[in-house]
Amino acid sequence: MQDNAASGCAEDDKRFMNLALLLADHAKGSTFPNPAVGAVVVKNGKVVGRGATSRWGGPHAEKNALAQAGARARGGTLYATLEPCNHTGRTLPCTDAIIAAGIRRVVASVKDPNPFVNGKGLRKLSRAGIEVSVGLLSQESTRLNEDFFYWVTQKRPWVTVKLAMTLDGRIADAFGESKWITSVASRNFVHDIRRRHGAIAVGRRTLEQDNPKLTVRHGKIGNPARFVFSSKIAVSPNSYFVKNASSNSRSILVKSGGKACEKLKLAGGIEIWRTGKTGRAESLKAFLTMASEENITSVLVEGGGSLASSFLENNLVNRVYLFYANKILGGGLSAIGFESPLALSKCMMLARVETMQFGSDTMITGIPETR
């Protein structure tokens, strides 16, 4: 097995893998709990088959690409953003389909950390006489499925916190007004972040003040599950959360305490989850365990500041998206506040920082780390 794609033209390999990444990115959000994978079949320098992961239970990317290529796949090269599977789940192994199609060479971007795969697929292909390369554009492929990789290895959903604030760190003014702090362009990008997650979470106060839909408005089929964290069981019957509990998504009310890990479904579609824990940190960890059991691989925490801060303070956040509008209020509701503030010498910092500009808004994303 080779460690790179040197046996082919490096520039062509990169171009075809980038195409596979685009296919995977387009599928992101519709494949849960499976990862979003893209695959391309190339014969004599021309693309003869393209595919992406189907909705759960459907064919994987490799099989979709091979089906489109048909007989033209024989003797060709298959590019995949993730190592092809070699085990039987809801579908038969992709490795068997690749071997049967007569593929001569497989270029995989990254090895699958899923214990059921984890190099076994690549070894099976290599033993079948197929030339195998792995590692091309691995950073891009890992970033695309960072949530799945975390969930499948840690048995806990990937948690993202997204906050929109002013330059002085306020998510609402002193009068309680929070719409809209950031621009339309920023909010459109947030919908793209939403469609990449299996669930969206907010606190009760955000539900009562903003009545958010917590949906994806990009033409995606289906919406993430909706979580509302509340100290009470009852929520406004006029909220979108309640009225649309059975419409293409789940509406789940999360409450600390009660019977451990209890899940109830009420008439109308609302679900009640009780964590069985009263401490904030323990309750959030219990919630993540419950969510993982439901094959929810990622949760986007959008508000408010108190809920986001609780996840951050208890080191339960894997990535943050902080949107800064070109505004200063001089007061109002703070975006982040810990119960036990950190000393400067032990502050939280972001690793692998990326920035984007949306008009006069600035977005910063990264991985939170504590010194």
Side-chain angles (χ1 to χ4, degrees):
M1 185 185 303
Q2 297 176 320
D3 292 330
N4 54 51
S7 60
C9 174
E11 286 305 311
D12 284 346
D13 282 349
K14 196 178 227 183
R15 176 163 57 91
F16 294 133
M17 187 62 78
N18 269 317
L19 175 56
L21 277 165
L22 285 174
L23 293 168
D25 184 76
H26 184 72
K28 186 72 176 179
S30 64
T31 68
F32 296 127
N34 288 335
V37 180
V40 175
V41 177
V42 176
K43 180 73 172 291
N44 297 325
K46 294 183 179 180
V47 175
V48 295
R50 309 175 188 219
T53 310
S54 306
R55 295 178 71 83
W56 192 37
H60 291 183
E62 299 92 329
K63 289 185 179 179
N64 286 329
L66 289 170
Q68 190 179 95
R72 295 173 295 176
R74 187 160 298 277
T77 298
L78 183 140
Y79 296 83
T81 58
L82 186 65
E83 173 186 3
C85 69
N86 72 317
H87 64 285
T88 299
R90 286 179 171 256
T91 61
L92 295 175
C94 289
T95 49
D96 290 355
I98 293 169
I99 294 168
I103 289 292
R104 177 186 63 84
R105 177 172 174 252
V106 170
V107 181
S109 182
V110 66
K111 187 168 72 171
D112 190 342
N114 185 343
F116 287 110
V117 188
N118 198 25
K120 297 174 186 175
L122 296 173
R123 287 194 291 273
K124 184 173 182 178
L125 294 173
S126 184
R127 286 196 299 267
I130 296 174
E131 182 184 338
V132 175
S133 302
V134 61
L136 181 64
L137 300 183
S138 60
Q139 287 187 339
E140 291 84 348
S141 294
T142 300
R143 175 75 164 85
L144 179 69
N145 281 309
E146 60 188 2
D147 52 339
F148 171 79
F149 292 169
Y150 182 83
W151 174 71
V152 81
T153 57
Q154 303 301 314
K155 308 303 180 186
R156 176 184 289 180
W158 174 275
V159 175
T160 300
V161 161
K162 168 257 154 183
L163 291 169
M165 66 190 86
T166 60
L167 292 175
D168 53 343
R170 309 294 178 171
I171 58 175
D173 64 22
F175 313 98
E177 183 64 34
S178 60
K179 290 188 175 180
W180 293 100
I181 288 178
T182 52
S183 67
V184 171
S186 291
R187 299 199 299 273
N188 285 340
F189 187 74
V190 169
H191 281 282
D192 194 59
I193 296 174
R194 283 183 178 182
R195 64 108 175 168
R196 296 169 182 273
H197 288 77
I200 304 174
V202 297
R204 181 188 179 90
R205 180 175 177 179
T206 298
L207 180 74
E208 292 176 343
Q209 289 189 341
D210 298 341
N211 190 23
K213 291 183 178 180
L214 306 180
T215 56
V216 178
R217 296 188 280 280
H218 279 334
K220 173 179 172 286
I221 298 175
N223 285 297
R226 293 180 284 261
F227 285 109
V228 170
F229 286 75
S230 175
S231 59
K232 304 175 184 178
I233 291 298
V235 292
S236 171
N238 296 319
S239 65
Y240 188 94
F241 175 78
V242 172
K243 286 185 174 182
N244 292 272
S246 300
S247 300
N248 209 20
S249 182
R250 300 170 69 179
S251 290
I252 304 167
L253 192 69
V254 182
K255 188 181 183 304
S256 60
K259 186 178 179 180
C261 300
E262 183 180 51
K263 299 174 184 177
L264 303 173
K265 189 166 184 177
L266 307 181
I270 291 286
E271 298 177 53
I272 307 294
W273 286 13
R274 291 183 174 90
T275 66
K277 305 291 184 181
T278 54
R280 191 64 159 170
E282 292 74 17
S283 184
L284 291 178
K285 290 176 183 177
F287 156 73
L288 291 174
T289 298
M290 295 170 74
S292 184
E293 292 170 350
E294 298 284 318
N295 285 331
I296 295 174
T297 61
S298 57
V299 179
L300 173 63
V301 180
E302 285 212 37
S306 177
L307 182 64
S309 296
S310 292
F311 272 98
L312 274 168
E313 185 172 10
N314 291 291
N315 297 313
L316 298 175
V317 177
N318 302 96
R319 178 175 290 280
V320 298
Y321 285 92
L322 305 177
F323 290 80
Y324 288 93
N326 189 18
K327 300 171 183 175
I328 296 174
L329 293 175
L333 186 62
S334 295
I336 299 172
F338 293 164
E339 290 185 0
S340 300
L342 300 173
L344 189 60
S345 59
K346 297 181 179 181
C347 68
M348 188 173 291
M349 300 180 69
L350 296 185
R352 287 176 268 170
V353 173
E354 302 168 17
T355 62
M356 292 181 69
Q357 203 73 26
F358 298 95
S360 61
D361 295 346
T362 302
M363 185 276 290
I364 299 175
T365 184
I367 309 297
E369 294 182 350
T370 304
R371 287 185 178 181

